Amino acid sequence: MNKKVDFSPNAQPLSPELLETVKGYDSKELYWLSGYCSGLADARQGGQFTSITIPNEVESTAVALKTVVLYASQTGNAQSIAEQLHQNLVQKGLSANLSSLADFKNNKLKEQQIIVMVASTHGEGEPPDDAIDFHEFIRGKRAPKLEGVRHAVLSLGDSSYEFFCQTGKDFDEAFAKLGSTVLVDRVDCDLDYEEPSANWITQVVEQIEGLSAVSQSATNEVTSSPVSSSQQFTKENPFAATILDNQKITGKGSVKHINHIEISLEGSGIYYLPGDSLGVWAKNNQSVVAEILQLTELSGDETVSFKQSEKTLLQVLSENLEISLINKNFILEYAELSGAEALKDIAASEYAKYIANHQIVDVIKYSPMKLEAQQLVDLLKPIKPRLYSIASSLEANPEEVHLTVGLEASENSNGVRYGTASNFLINELQADDEVLVYVEANKHFKLPENDKPVIMIGPGTGVAPFRAFLQQRQEESATGENWLYFGNPNFNTDFLYQIELQSLLKDKVLTDLSVAFSRDQEEKVYVQDRLLENAESVWQWINDKQASIYVCGDMNRMAKDVHAALVKIISEQSGRTQEDAEAFLSQLRKDKRYQRDVY
């Protein structure tokens, strides 16, 4: 079992002799060494043989251009691509720095000669949390002129959202307005980003290599030894986990349907930390699949091509294609095929409203028509895994992972439509069934040191990561105080993990618990109202005790209302203006004392 080890301030991870040796390396040797160590780290995580080339001699025919590879990542995809690009550059002997936008110093931008950006888009065209400040900076008055600079942008997004890849588009436009010229044309990637991102990386490396004019001489090949026999499970190579328990935890009569799901990771070697997410590959609702087949006059037995393999139409509709989330291109292409002009009007003026409670089957149902099997496959996007905040500590639950899942449902004139993953997890899976999973690390949502206090705000299923936080702190006998804000509609039916939380209060693991059950009284009360009621104490925790603040849950309403409440508390309790209170909260985010996992 992995345990956190606290090193003394004077401890060195390397011997003094080795450090002195490293200090003697020139810049090229140091850049190569960083790539070599990165390769070794990857090998140790995945237990794979890693082949690495060591240059005998690196001869520079020109001064390397100052290059930075930046990433704006919410779930880790953008970070992974940026790291791969950086590793490719280093292995070519090309100088480049790699940085999250959360850690990048804005005043260093003007020093760069090449800026490479990998940016994901969060929600409806918003930048990820780690990119908010840079996004404001680069589009503001303090952004530096970038004449003579070259830039390349890769955007990650989901075309089912109206503002597809908007963050990457914003960065590309901002760089150009500041005078930078394009190194490689921007590429906007949808859910199936692997191939276009790999091609983009190749182009970027080739362009930088050409500009830098750095050549490498003969190389020796070194193969690292495998250091772990455990397999690395990823989004592309998920683990077939077994359901241990799947229980509804909202009561009869509740307006919500929420399940607590326990999953076995036995034999996988999978490791995670509180704050991480679990990726789930869900299967589509079979009744909806059957309806699509009926509307398009297909049997499902037809053979189709999908990602260079042959499968039946029924199989790809069930497991490989997205039939819940609608993207605008699908509406327009189907409208063109069917001749339904009204669908074009929906795409043009009602798209955001329409997709809130409609799915692919509703578009087809609008104007049913016979399609060829491959034609239907080509119209649809590949399904993507759904991410859920992990609701358990691995220390407290060895070889297990727990989820808190709410059934997503909406209604339109055709009936009730369910979320793909929530319906699959809640209604389709029972004990001993298998589900394909992997861990998505989230370094931007992590507990502070054990002696630091935390304020956790998680209404509804947003309580999930805080259950993990509290379990971890209990396992580690952490001395930091813990204050949880939880809300849901009704006390009698919706008090998730009530017995556990009361036990944690009794054991003094949970210092304080503030609850808001919105429908138990005439006037609705939410977690942000409880925060304002406790304004003086909240400010004392933030200012005097140096508490960290965590928010998890709905991005569109709750997170914004909580943010506004925190700004008001800081302003009123400290005598700051609202603008200064916003700046204070922004600084907390930079200091990693204000972290959000919102969706």
Side-chain angles (χ1 to χ4, degrees):
M1 183 180 294
N2 292 315
K3 290 287 186 182
K4 180 181 177 183
V5 178
D6 293 319
F7 289 100
S8 69
N10 297 322
Q12 293 282 2
L14 302 175
S15 69
E17 295 80 8
L18 183 53
L19 284 173
E20 285 303 314
T21 301
V22 172
K23 287 178 182 177
Y25 291 167
D26 63 25
S27 62
K28 293 296 176 189
E29 291 169 324
L30 287 170
Y31 279 119
W32 173 85
L33 181 62
S34 70
Y36 177 65
C37 292
S38 175
L40 287 181
D42 289 343
R44 297 190 180 190
Q45 287 179 352
Q48 308 292 327
F49 286 95
T50 304
S51 179
I52 298 177
T53 57
I54 303 177
N56 285 331
E57 186 179 342
V58 177
E59 220 175 89
S60 176
T61 59
V63 177
L65 297 172
K66 192 157 188 179
T67 302
V68 65
V69 178
L70 300 170
Y71 60 86
S73 186
Q74 190 72 26
T75 63
N77 292 335
Q79 179 180 349
S80 177
I81 294 169
E83 288 171 348
Q84 183 60 57
L85 168 60
H86 181 255
Q87 187 174 10
N88 287 7
L89 289 170
V90 169
Q91 289 176 350
K92 289 281 190 178
L94 299 170
S95 168
N97 291 320
L98 173 69
S99 178
S100 162
L101 285 180
D103 301 323
F104 183 70
K105 303 298 183 185
N106 293 342
N107 60 3
K108 298 292 183 183
L109 190 68
K110 61 186 178 183
E111 301 174 8
Q112 310 305 317
Q113 293 170 285
I114 297 177
I115 302 167
V116 185
M117 172 73 74
V118 184
S120 66
T121 294
H122 191 37
E124 292 295 347
E126 298 177 10
D129 281 359
D130 65 350
I132 292 174
D133 291 333
F134 185 86
H135 188 259
E136 293 177 356
F137 164 76
I138 199 65
R139 303 166 77 203
K141 295 180 180 179
R142 296 188 177 182
K145 295 297 182 183
L146 297 177
E147 283 90 355
V149 176
R150 294 173 183 261
H151 71 274
V153 176
L154 182 79
S155 306
L156 299 183
D158 180 344
S159 60
S160 66
Y161 287 91
E162 182 174 7
F163 299 101
F164 174 57
C165 285
Q166 189 62 49
T167 300
K169 293 174 182 177
D170 288 346
F171 285 139
D172 191 30
E173 180 183 352
F175 292 147
K177 281 186 176 180
L178 294 170
S180 176
T181 57
V182 173
L183 177 74
V184 171
D185 287 339
R186 188 187 76 243
V187 173
D188 297 332
C189 298
D190 207 340
L191 304 178
D192 48 345
Y193 62 84
E194 289 84 357
E195 183 176 343
S197 65
N199 293 337
W200 179 82
I201 287 175
T202 300
Q203 293 180 52
V204 171
V205 172
E206 288 175 351
Q207 289 297 318
I208 295 177
E209 189 175 23
L211 289 170
S212 300
V214 174
S215 63
Q216 288 181 314
S217 61
T219 61
N220 293 325
E221 188 171 281
V222 172
T223 303
S224 67
S225 299
V227 295
S228 170
S229 59
S230 67
Q231 191 174 7
Q232 179 77 6
F233 294 104
T234 63
K235 179 169 65 174
E236 293 75 22
N237 180 40
F239 175 65
T242 304
I243 301 293
L244 296 172
D245 195 17
N246 192 348
Q247 295 290 331
K248 186 180 179 184
I249 55 174
T250 43
K252 185 178 180 181
S254 172
V255 295
K256 293 187 175 184
H257 185 142
I258 298 174
N259 276 36
H260 173 77
I261 303 173
E262 298 182 357
I263 302 171
S264 172
L265 300 176
E266 184 177 359
S268 69
I270 287 175
Y271 180 74
Y272 64 84
L273 291 170
D276 290 343
S277 297
L278 190 74
V280 175
W281 283 103
K283 294 180 181 179
N284 285 316
N285 188 324
Q286 287 303 295
S287 65
V288 178
V289 170
E291 190 174 2
I292 290 174
L293 290 172
Q294 180 185 19
L295 291 169
T296 55
E297 300 180 38
L298 294 163
S299 69
D301 296 329
E302 298 86 352
T303 299
V304 295
S305 296
F306 179 78
K307 290 196 172 181
Q308 301 174 337
S309 64
E310 301 292 310
K311 298 183 178 183
T312 67
L313 177 60
L314 178 60
Q315 185 179 0
V316 295
L317 280 178
S318 299
E319 301 176 4
N320 305 122
L321 295 174
E322 180 60 69
I323 65 171
S324 293
L325 304 177
I326 304 173
N327 64 82
K328 190 174 290 187
N329 283 342
F330 174 80
I331 298 178
L332 293 173
E333 289 174 12
Y334 189 79
E336 196 68 36
L337 285 171
S338 65
E341 293 296 320
L343 285 175
K344 295 181 181 179
D345 295 336
I346 289 173
S349 59
E350 301 176 35
Y351 178 70
K353 181 181 178 181
Y354 184 80
I355 64 174
N357 63 341
H358 290 80
Q359 297 183 357
I360 292 292
V361 66
D362 297 306
V363 178
I364 298 173
K365 199 177 183 72
Y366 200 92
S367 182
M369 65 173 294
K370 179 175 176 59
L371 293 175
E372 296 297 326
Q374 191 63 51
Q375 189 179 31
L376 175 59
V377 171
D378 294 342
L379 282 172
L380 300 173
K381 298 286 186 182
I383 197 169
K384 68 173 181 177
R386 269 55 168 182
L387 295 177
Y388 288 93
S389 299
I390 292 174
S392 57
S393 159
L394 193 60
E395 304 287 339
N397 307 274
E399 296 195 303
E400 290 184 16
V401 62
H402 300 172
L403 301 179
T404 311
V405 180
L407 182 63
E408 296 292 331
S410 61
E411 192 169 358
N412 61 46
S413 58
N414 295 323
V416 178
R417 299 302 182 202
Y418 294 104
T420 296
S422 63
N423 178 72
F424 176 66
L425 289 168
I426 289 174
N427 293 327
E428 301 296 333
L429 295 180
Q430 301 175 358
D432 298 326
D433 287 342
E434 285 192 348
V435 57
L436 299 177
V437 301
Y438 66 96
V439 168
E440 189 77 67
N442 184 359
K443 71 174 186 177
H444 302 299
F445 202 74
K446 287 290 177 282
L447 279 164
E449 293 84 357
N450 277 342
D451 61 343
K452 301 295 184 183
V454 297
I455 299 173
M456 301 164 285
I457 306 161
T461 57
V463 75
F466 304 135
R467 181 176 185 263
F469 278 19
L470 292 168
Q471 286 184 356
Q472 186 78 6
R473 289 206 138 187
Q474 185 173 39
E475 285 293 310
E476 296 183 345
S477 300
T479 57
E481 294 179 291
N482 306 293
W483 190 350
L484 174 64
Y485 281 82
F486 172 74
N488 239 354
N490 299 104
F491 172 87
N492 289 331
T493 57
D494 307 311
F495 198 163
L496 308 185
Y497 304 116
Q498 179 182 0
I499 295 175
E500 288 185 27
L501 294 176
Q502 288 175 334
S503 177
L504 290 168
L505 272 172
K506 182 180 178 182
D507 294 341
K508 301 189 185 310
V509 175
L510 190 53
T511 311
D512 205 347
L513 175 62
S514 297
V515 295
F517 294 103
S518 58
R519 302 189 184 185
D520 277 350
Q521 59 284 311
E522 187 174 343
E523 185 177 349
K524 291 184 178 179
V525 177
Y526 300 104
V527 287
Q528 60 267 25
D529 299 313
R530 296 296 186 220
L531 283 166
L532 293 170
E533 289 173 6
N534 295 302
E536 186 176 349
S537 296
V538 169
W539 174 244
Q540 183 187 20
W541 275 55
I542 296 171
N543 189 57
D544 300 343
K545 297 184 179 183
Q546 296 292 290
S548 296
I549 308 165
Y550 297 85
V551 182
C552 182
D554 172 59
M555 172 181 62
N556 295 318
R557 296 185 60 183
M558 182 278 297
K560 292 178 180 178
D561 290 341
V562 165
H563 183 90
L566 290 171
V567 169
K568 185 175 182 180
I569 289 168
I570 293 166
S571 175
E572 293 181 352
Q573 295 297 316
S574 68
R576 288 174 168 82
T577 64
Q578 182 171 333
E579 183 179 356
D580 287 343
E582 284 278 10
F584 181 90
L585 202 51
S586 178
Q587 187 60 49
L588 288 186
R589 183 172 61 243
K590 293 176 183 177
D591 296 339
K592 303 190 187 329
R593 286 182 52 207
Y594 178 35
Q595 300 183 33
R596 306 192 310 167
D597 181 12
V598 297
Y599 38 83

